[in-house]
Amino acid sequence: MKCWSLPDASTAITIAAVIFLHAIIPPAAMAAVVEHTFIVSQVKMTHLCNETLVTLVNGQFPGPAIEVTDGDSVTVHVVNKSPYDLTIHWHGVKQRLNCWADGVPMITQCPILPNHNFTYKFNVAGQEGTLWWHAHVAFLQATVHGALVIRPRHGASSYPFPKPHKEIPIILGEWWQMDLERADWGIAHGVDLYFGASTINGKLGDLYNCSGSIEDGYVLDVEPGKTYLLRVINAALFAEYYLKIAGHKFTVVASNANYVTPYTTDVIAIAPGETMDALVVADAAPGRYYMVALPNQSPEPDPQSPVLITRGVVQYRRVQAPAGYIPVSPEMPDQDDLMPSFHFHANLTGFLHHPHQRTPVPTQVDERLFITLGLGTVCRRGHSCKRSQSNETFTVATMNNISFQQPAVATPLLKLHYHNTNRMDMLLQELPDKAPRVFNYTDPALIPPGPKEAKLEPTSKAALARRFRHGTVVEVVFQGTALLQSESNPMHLHGHDVFVLAQGEGNYDAARDVARYNLVNPAIKNTVHVPRLGWVAIRFVADNPGIWYMHCHFGFHLTMGMVALFIVEDGLTTDTSLPAPPADFPSCRHI
């Protein structure tokens, strides 16, 4: 039998204070556990006169949105009824002291096997804005993805911009008319592949038809004078997109769940992995206006893909369009013109008037890396072979002339790291500080195969990694190259946000370009767009222990090996050290 006693005076005061605080803090400020169940299965969908078996979460394309509040905890039960091994990555969630939930197969966890389940648990403290989730196995990201929206703890009235009338997710993606695992295999083995259509929120739009039957397009209904917050996500595998709405402008207010100085533009450039929050005021003459998404690409002599533009409609409510009325179309940039993207990303700066973003840029740098991004070739047999489109080689993507090769292990690397096994040192090769040779990285003459390029294309494959002591301030310059192609590169670092200090065209020159660094209010990102034939400089603090993927978010570059592991060592305290793995961690299929 329990005996209860009355509280003393100090306890009574504490209880009263708790009751008072509960009364004055709005419900949105109270931390909660947000729970979802993701059933991953295959569903037949018909587009462009073809029935395709696609892998979806809960039968939805895009998948279900997760909506949480800063400070909440998230629990997602993944039930894998697909025929594929898979993991889910929570793109941009910092996963503080929780690398186990990052969702990278055989790096942080064993994949979830077919007919098996696994529960992800993580929190979103200290973050707000638009992130997203996606599969991190093969090309399954193309259909297994969805929005992850983190709202402010004190509600929409605490946004550092006018409270919008509505918030709308706009997910840009691709429709593939083939098995995505086979597509991934094809890219890894040098097969040229192209997706079948671009999509807005899973809709192909009225530019596509099947035997005269027009595909459905996304429709956004708006009211005159109202302001809408578009949460734009690029979930595509292959393309950066230009997004425009005829007759309207965007005010970009955040990117990658970090606020930016409000920036007004008529076009948004968004690379795979990026998110952009943009306000749109319905201030045009009432009518119907096309929202157009155009995938851009590098000009020739780079390989050219079909122009797979898509469009939806922004329509004002209570406006009756006459029969045959065609919505107003925006004037789009040329598909091969990448300067709008360069200027868009250059104009993003950090918003200092928010508590999450008042951390000053570290001025003392401990380690500097210069990382070249490009393509190369590996001999199919032996160490010597013919180059320049020879059938004796296959093409790979590289960082500092090394292409990532997943080590053949039966245990995730993070477990080996946690248990301090000696096997880690034998499995990994160190990412060097700089490229093995200096040359004119952005010389367009290196794009087409030929004698000049052939001397530079030989490369190697290895499990590429770099270790950092806890608290190390790291500066990385990503240098795009012209080796075999001149694509831009959206580089994504798991587990950390980075300060984007500067970007430029051509070859990086420290003597000239360090003076251009923005150390006052740089944009803060988790996915950094490295411009075509240019460079970008970032800085971050390696203070989240674990093994974190750093990779290009173009699906073809990821599959081809543009990856490195950033290993952050434990600090000196429990609060700076990686905890033990969850008790219910999935087991691996025997290798």
Side-chain angles (χ1 to χ4, degrees), residues 411-462:
T411 302
L413 293 183
L414 187 61
K415 264 196 170 183
L416 299 179
H417 170 72
Y418 176 78
H419 291 293
N420 293 314
T421 64
N422 293 328
R423 289 195 63 199
M424 285 283 290
D425 294 332
M426 295 184 290
L427 291 169
L428 303 179
Q429 179 174 321
E430 185 178 55
L431 170 68
D433 292 351
K434 57 186 178 182
R437 9 175 137 78
V438 177
F439 59 96
N440 181 4
Y441 305 112
T442 56
D443 181 359
L446 299 175
I447 299 173
K452 186 173 185 179
E453 163 275 326
K455 297 175 183 178
L456 295 168
E457 72 175 63
T459 185
S460 59
K461 293 177 71 68

Side-chain angles (χ1 to χ4, degrees), residues 450-508:
K452 186 173 185 179
E453 163 275 326
K455 297 175 183 178
L456 295 168
E457 72 175 63
T459 185
S460 59
K461 293 177 71 68
L464 201 57
R466 183 79 180 205
R467 289 181 179 270
F468 301 107
R469 296 186 311 276
H470 191 278
T472 298
V473 176
V474 184
E475 182 171 303
V476 181
V477 174
F478 290 113
Q479 173 68 62
T481 72
L483 275 174
L484 294 172
Q485 68 172 32
S486 61
E487 292 279 359
S488 60
N489 298 100
M491 302 303 296
H492 172 46
L493 174 60
H494 292 207
H496 297 77
D497 279 344
V498 304
F499 297 101
V500 185
L501 304 181
Q503 67 173 49
E505 297 179 274
N507 299 322
Y508 174 81

Side-chain angles (χ1 to χ4, degrees), residues 11 30 41 49 54 58 115 123 148 203 215 229 296 367 395 524 555 581:
T11 304
M30 306 302 291
S41 64
C49 287
V54 297
N58 298 351
N115 299 312
N123 65 56
L148 199 169
K203 305 287 188 180
E215 287 277 354
L229 178 63
N296 65 33
E367 295 196 34
T395 304
I524 303 171

Side-chain angles (χ1 to χ4, degrees), residues 58-72:
N58 298 351
Q60 301 175 38
F61 177 55
I66 296 177
E67 298 190 14
V68 295
T69 299
D70 175 17
D72 285 351

